């Protein structure tokens, strides 16, 4: 006589549940793969996603990618140095100062208004005419920028109050450290206008990236394309370190990765 197992219904239920779980896992995997493929094919284009991504790539790779894509030098010279080690990315808020010896107490009002109009992720990019020995900003302006969430400042001129700026941790790149002032010597000439900062054209809205290697300007229209290539260059270079150590040959690593 054939025995009927009391566990047979449970076996059938378990089998059905297993099939369902496998189907869910397969569909989830396909969905994740589609999501990853879509992300790879369409790099981030909105400002917040772009800035977050740019904060994770090296400025040297961004500079190389820009030169390869545009054929132009978009990095600032060795003179543009940080007052302390820092790394940031943000959207350019441009300001121009022109030489104008004056006793007008309102000559620099527009410079201050520009700061109060900026916000989170802004980078204050100031061009000070013949300003290598003129402090374009100091502790008061840096405090305001920090309070408003600016990413940093890049000054084609000097900077002062560096002890306080270092204390509050607000990153500034400048041509030098000087104790001078722009008050009574300069006049505000415009904000959110095209400027030339240490020889590089900067437009309002461009992306500014900075790290220990220096400062690079990414035109907003090319930001996604430059980012994708910079990420690829970063990946190759970081992968090469281990190969160079293993092979004890930089030539073989360059041959393998095509990156120098």
């Amino acid at each position: 006589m054939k025995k009927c197992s009391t566990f047979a219904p449970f076996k059938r239920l378990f089998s059905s549940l297993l099939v369902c779980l496998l189907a869910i896992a397969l569909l989830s995997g396909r969905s994740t793969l589609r999501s990853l493929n879509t992300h790879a094919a369409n790099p981030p284009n909105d400002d917040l996603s772009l800035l977050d991504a740019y904060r994770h790539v090296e400025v040297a790779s961004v500079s190389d990618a820009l030169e390869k894509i545009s054929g132009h030098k978009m990095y600032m010279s060795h003179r543009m140095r940080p007052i302390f080690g820092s790394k940031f990315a943000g959207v350019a808020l441009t300001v121009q100062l022109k030489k104008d010896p004056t006793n007008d107490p309102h000559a620099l009002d527009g410079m201050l208004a520009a700061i109060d109009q900026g916000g989170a992720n802004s980078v204050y990019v100031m061009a000070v005419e013949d300003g290598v020995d003129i402090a374009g900003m100091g502790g008061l302006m840096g405090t305001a920028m920090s309070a408003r969430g600016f990413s940093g400042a890049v000054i084609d001129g000097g900077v002062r109050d560096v002890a306080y700026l270092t204390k509050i941790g607000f990153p500034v790149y400048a041509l030098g450290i000087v104790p001078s002032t722009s008050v009574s010597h300069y006049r505000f000439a415009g904000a959110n206008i095209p400027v030339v900062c240490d020889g590089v054209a900067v437009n309002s809205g461009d992306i500014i990236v900075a790290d220990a290697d220096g400062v690079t300007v990414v035109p907003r229209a090319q930001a996604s394309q430059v980012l994708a290539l910079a990420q690829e260059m970063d990946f190759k270079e970081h992968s090469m370190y281990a190969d160079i150590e293993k092979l004890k040959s930089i030539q073989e690593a360059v041959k393998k990765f095509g990156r120098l």
Side-chain angles (χ1 to χ4, degrees):
M1 185 176 183
K2 187 176 181 180
K3 295 183 178 180
C4 180
S5 172
T6 57
F7 294 103
F10 295 101
K11 288 181 179 179
R12 287 194 295 272
L13 178 61
F14 179 77
S15 297
S16 298
L17 287 172
L18 184 60
V19 169
C20 288
L21 288 173
L22 288 172
I24 291 171
L26 180 61
L27 289 173
S28 177
R30 287 176 177 172
S31 176
T32 300
L33 183 59
R34 281 196 300 270
S35 177
L36 289 171
N37 287 339
T38 299
H39 182 74
N42 301 286
N45 195 47
D46 64 280
D47 282 347
L48 292 179
S49 295
L50 277 169
L51 293 180
D52 183 61
Y54 269 110
R55 291 180 182 120
H56 292 86
V57 293
E58 296 179 10
V59 169
S61 293
V62 175
S63 176
D64 288 355
L66 269 166
E67 190 168 350
K68 188 169 183 179
I69 289 171
S70 70
H72 299 297
K73 163 189 172 293
M74 295 300 291
Y75 60 88
M76 297 183 192
S77 77
H78 65 280
R79 302 187 307 159
M80 187 63 73
R81 301 306 303 161
I83 61 173
F84 62 85
S86 55
K87 179 179 176 64
F88 63 79
V91 179
L93 186 166
T94 60
V95 171
Q96 177 79 58
L97 294 189
K98 292 290 187 180
K99 292 174 71 173
D100 183 12
T102 177
N103 291 319
D104 180 1
H106 303 293
L108 295 175
D109 284 359
M111 174 183 75
L112 306 182
I115 296 173
D116 285 355
Q117 290 165 10
N121 299 310
S122 294
V123 174
Y124 188 79
V125 179
M126 173 183 273
V128 184
E129 184 181 17
D130 296 332
V132 66
D133 289 319
I134 294 293
M137 68 167 287
L140 298 179
M141 292 168 64
T143 298
M145 293 178 206
S146 180
R148 295 188 66 81
F150 280 52
S151 295
V154 179
I155 311 297
D156 187 0
V159 61
R160 69 181 191 177
D161 303 330
V162 295
Y164 189 76
L165 291 169
T166 301
K167 178 182 176 181
I168 65 175
F170 185 72
V172 178
Y173 281 69
L175 299 184
I177 298 170
V178 289
S180 59
T181 180
S182 59
V183 177
S184 298
H185 301 290
Y186 281 79
R187 180 179 294 278
F188 170 75
N192 290 317
I193 59 173
V195 300
V196 176
C197 188
D198 192 31
V200 180
V202 184
N203 290 289
S204 175
D206 285 347
I207 291 179
I208 310 297
V209 289
D211 66 14
D213 288 333
V215 181
T216 296
V217 181
V218 183
R220 184 61 180 81
Q222 296 175 307
S224 294
Q225 184 183 8
V226 170
L227 172 63
L229 183 55
Q231 288 174 325
E232 179 185 337
M233 288 178 164
D234 252 13
F235 178 78
K236 286 183 178 180
E237 183 162 324
H238 295 167
S239 300
M240 288 172 70
Y241 293 135
D243 272 46
I244 291 172
E245 291 177 347
K246 178 182 177 181
L247 301 172
K248 296 181 175 58
S249 170
I250 188 171
Q251 294 181 92
E252 290 300 318
V254 169
K255 187 185 301 181
K256 176 179 177 181
F257 289 93
R259 166 81 169 129
L260 180 60

